[in-house]
Amino acid sequence: MTAGTTGEMHPAPDAPDTDVLKRQLQRANRVARWKALGLVAPLLIFLLVTFVVPIFSMLTRSVHSPVFGDIFVETAQVIGEWDGTGLPDETIYAALVADMRQARADRTIGQAATRLNYDVPGTRSLLTRSARRADRLEAPYSVSLPALDDRWADRTIWAAIKRVSSPVTATFYLAALDRQFDADGSIVLAPEDQRLYVRLFWRTLLVSALVTVLCLLLGFPIAYLMAHLPPARANLLMILVLLPFWTSLLVRTTAWIAILQTEGVLNDVFVWLGIVSDDGRVQLIYNQIGTIIAMTHILLPFTVLPLYAVMQGIPPSLTRAAISLGATPARAFTRVYLPLTTPGIGAGAVFVFILAVGYYITPALVGGRTGQLISNFIAFHMQESLNWGLAAALGAVLLAAVLLLYWLYDRLVGVDNMRLG
C-alpha cells in the first residue's frame, strides 16, 4: 500500500488483485477437497459394497418373497378376489390345479411348495403330492381336490396361499418373533412347540451382557496394573494381552474344549484339589457355561485396550491430591480415579457387547444345545434350511435391537464419553 497526496491509501502497483487471490484460494481448497475425496474413495466404495449393500439386501429379503406368485401366476391373479371367508370358489380351485400341472412340468413345484411350507409347516408334501396327481383330477376341482387330500378343504391352507401369492410379506418377521397369521389374518402366537426365537434373542442378549460384565471385571485390574507399571513391564504385560490375537480363533476355541471337557484339565485340577469327586466331574462345556468362559477369554483384550489407553492419560497427581486432602485411598479411587475411566469402560463395553451379540464360531463349537445363540440359527437357515427370508428377518431384528441399545447408551451415558484414549 502507498499513501497518496491526499493521505488516501492505494494498492501498490505490483500488488495482486484481491479477487484473484480469493479465486486462487477457492481453487486450492477445491483441489484439496477432491484430493481428500480421492484418498477416502476406496474405503467408501469398500464399505458400500461390503456393508451397505449386504444390509440392504438382507432387509429386502426379509420382506420380499415373490417365488410362489411367480410360479403360481394364475392362482395369484384370482385368489386376491377371495375375501377369506368360507372356501374359495371353483375358479380359484381350477387355477390352482392348472398352476400345479404347469409347475410340475416346469420342475418348479418344489420351490413353490417350499415357500408355502415356510408359512404353514407340513404343506410342502401336500403341494408336491397333489401336483403329482393333478393330471388325474377332474372338474369340479372344489370337490376332487379335497377328495384327494382333505386339507384342501381347510381355510387355513387357502389363507396361506393367498398370503404367499403376494411378493411382499411380513411372515418372516412374525416367525422371527414367534408369531403367525391365523386363518382370519390376525396375528397370534405360534404354537408353543414352535416358539423358539424370542427365547433365543433374550439368551443372546443375556449371554452378551454377562460376557461384557465379566470382561470389564477381569480387564479393569489388568489395565490398571499396566497403566501403573514401569514401561518395560507394562509392555511385557501388553504382549501377553495381545498374545491371543496372534493365535487363530478356531485354535483358541479348540483349546477350551480340551480344558473344559469332563475329562479335561480343569476337571482334573478340581479332582486333584478334592473340590469334586472323580465320579462327580462338572459339565463345563457344551452348555452356556462353556460359551461364556470361552467368549470372555476371547473378547477380554477388547476391554483391556481401551481401558489402558484411557488410564494412561489420567495424571497420578489427581489421586495423590485427593489423598492429601484427607480422602482414603478407596474413596480417592471411587470418587476421583474411577469416574475418569468412564470413557474406557464405555468403549470396552460397547465393543465387547456388539461383538458378543454376533458371535458364531465359539457358541457353535462349545455351546452345545443350550449354549447356542441367535447367530447359530441364522447360519442354520442360511446354510441348511435355506429359509433366507427368515434368516434375514432374524438378522434385521438383531440389528434393530443393537441399534436400540446403542441409542439407549447414547441417551444415558453419551457417545461423546466413549473414547479410546
Side-chain angles (χ1 to χ4, degrees), residues 108-176:
T108 55
I109 187 65
Q111 299 175 35
T114 300
R115 174 64 187 91
L116 182 61
N117 193 68
Y118 292 154
D119 268 47
V120 183
T123 52
R124 190 181 193 282
S125 59
L126 168 67
L127 199 59
T128 54
R129 188 169 61 250
S130 300
R132 286 196 298 270
R133 302 175 182 175
D135 290 337
R136 287 178 282 174
L137 293 174
E138 296 180 354
Y141 299 111
S142 57
V143 175
S144 59
L145 200 54
L148 179 64
D149 193 313
D150 57 4
R151 284 179 289 178
W152 289 117
D154 185 352
R155 192 162 60 95
T156 304
I157 302 297
W158 288 101
I161 291 176
K162 184 177 181 179
R163 287 194 302 272
V164 299
S165 297
S166 172
V168 179
T169 179
T171 302
F172 297 126
Y173 279 101
L174 292 179

Side-chain angles (χ1 to χ4, degrees), residues 14-64:
D14 57 345
D17 191 336
T18 306
D19 293 338
V20 174
L21 289 176
K22 286 183 178 177
R23 285 196 295 272
Q24 290 176 344
L25 180 61
Q26 290 173 352
R27 189 181 303 114
N29 289 336
R30 196 161 47 246
V31 170
R33 285 197 294 270
W34 279 109
K35 285 182 178 178
L37 181 61
L39 291 173
V40 301
L43 176 61
L44 290 177
I45 295 172
F46 178 79
L47 291 177
L48 183 66
V49 173
T50 61
F51 185 71
V52 178
V53 172
I55 288 182
F56 178 77
S57 175
M58 178 188 73
L59 296 177
T60 302
R61 282 185 178 276
S62 64
V63 295
H64 186 248

Side-chain angles (χ1 to χ4, degrees), residues 225-237 308 312:
L225 181 63
M226 290 169 56
H228 291 81
L229 280 176
R233 295 184 180 179
N235 290 336
L236 178 61
L237 198 54
Y308 173 61
Q312 269 193 319

Side-chain angles (χ1 to χ4, degrees), residues 67-143:
V67 174
F68 191 91
D70 289 347
I71 297 173
F72 280 59
V73 178
E74 190 174 343
T75 304
Q77 290 175 348
V78 298
I79 202 169
E81 301 172 0
W82 178 48
D83 60 3
T85 59
L87 290 174
D89 57 24
E90 175 63 20
T91 305
I92 299 175
Y93 272 98
L96 181 72
V97 173
D99 282 336
M100 284 195 294
R101 291 169 177 167
Q102 185 63 44
R104 187 162 186 270
D106 295 340
R107 299 180 182 275
T108 55
I109 187 65
Q111 299 175 35
T114 300
R115 174 64 187 91
L116 182 61
N117 193 68
Y118 292 154
D119 268 47
V120 183
T123 52
R124 190 181 193 282
S125 59
L126 168 67
L127 199 59
T128 54
R129 188 169 61 250
S130 300
R132 286 196 298 270
R133 302 175 182 175
D135 290 337
R136 287 178 282 174
L137 293 174
E138 296 180 354
Y141 299 111
S142 57
V143 175

Side-chain angles (χ1 to χ4, degrees), residues 31-373:
V31 170
R33 285 197 294 270
W34 279 109
K35 285 182 178 178
L37 181 61
L39 291 173
V40 301
L43 176 61
L44 290 177
I45 295 172
F46 178 79
L47 291 177
L48 183 66
V49 173
T50 61
F51 185 71
V52 178
V53 172
I55 288 182
F56 178 77
S57 175
M58 178 188 73
L59 296 177
T60 302
R61 282 185 178 276
S62 64
V63 295
H64 186 248
S65 181
V67 174
F68 191 91
D70 289 347
I71 297 173
F72 280 59
V73 178
E74 190 174 343
T75 304
Q77 290 175 348
V78 298
I79 202 169
E81 301 172 0
W82 178 48
D83 60 3
T85 59
L87 290 174
D89 57 24
E90 175 63 20
T91 305
I92 299 175
Y93 272 98
L96 181 72
V97 173
D99 282 336
M100 284 195 294
R101 291 169 177 167
Q102 185 63 44
R104 187 162 186 270
D106 295 340
R107 299 180 182 275
T108 55
I109 187 65
Q111 299 175 35
T114 300
R115 174 64 187 91
L116 182 61
N117 193 68
Y118 292 154
D119 268 47
V120 183
T123 52
R124 190 181 193 282
S125 59
L126 168 67
L127 199 59
T128 54
R129 188 169 61 250
S130 300
R132 286 196 298 270
R133 302 175 182 175
D135 290 337
R136 287 178 282 174
L137 293 174
E138 296 180 354
Y141 299 111
S142 57
V143 175
S144 59
L145 200 54
L148 179 64
D149 193 313
D150 57 4
R151 284 179 289 178
W152 289 117
D154 185 352
R155 192 162 60 95
T156 304
I157 302 297
W158 288 101
I161 291 176
K162 184 177 181 179
R163 287 194 302 272
V164 299
S165 297
S166 172
V168 179
T169 179
T171 302
F172 297 126
Y173 279 101
L174 292 179
L177 299 173
D178 291 341
R179 303 291 194 276
Q180 65 180 22
F181 288 109
D182 63 6
D184 298 324
S186 302
I187 298 175
V188 298
L189 277 172
E192 191 167 355
D193 60 341
Q194 297 178 18
R195 298 175 199 169
L196 172 65
Y197 301 112
V198 171
R199 187 169 67 250
L200 272 173
F201 276 119
W202 282 116
R203 180 194 297 173
T204 300
L205 296 177
L206 179 63
V207 169
S208 301
L210 188 55
V211 169
T212 302
V213 171
L214 289 174
C215 285
L216 287 174
L217 292 176
L218 296 174
F220 194 96
I222 299 173
Y224 183 85
L225 181 63
M226 290 169 56
H228 291 81
L229 280 176
R233 295 184 180 179
N235 290 336
L236 178 61
L237 198 54
M238 175 64 80
I239 292 174
L240 295 178
V241 171
L242 296 177
L243 196 59
F245 285 134
W246 302 345
T247 311
S248 165
L249 175 63
L250 190 60
V251 172
R252 281 180 279 165
T253 304
T254 307
W256 277 112
I257 295 176
I259 294 173
L260 296 177
Q261 62 182 319
T262 308
E263 302 296 329
V265 177
L266 199 57
N267 265 299
D268 287 343
V269 173
F270 288 162
V271 173
W272 181 71
L273 294 174
I275 298 175
V276 298
S277 64
D278 194 32
D279 297 332
R281 290 173 176 259
V282 185
Q283 183 70 31
L284 296 173
I285 202 169
Y286 305 126
N287 52 26
Q288 286 189 32
I289 297 176
T291 299
I292 292 170
I293 292 175
M295 286 178 63
T296 300
H297 163 253
I298 293 169
L299 295 175
L300 186 60
F302 292 98
T303 305
V304 174
L305 295 178
L307 277 171
Y308 173 61
V310 171
M311 288 177 180
Q312 269 193 319
I314 301 175
S317 58
L318 295 178
T319 306
R320 290 198 295 267
I323 294 175
S324 67
L325 292 173
T328 62
R331 188 175 180 82
F333 177 82
T334 55
R335 298 297 297 272
V336 177
Y337 191 84
L338 187 60
L340 293 174
T341 63
T342 303
I345 294 175
V350 169
F351 281 166
V352 171
F353 184 82
I354 291 178
L355 289 173
V357 162
Y359 240 57
Y360 166 68
I361 293 178
T362 303
L365 292 178
V366 304
R369 185 179 61 82
T370 61
Q372 300 284 301
L373 304 182

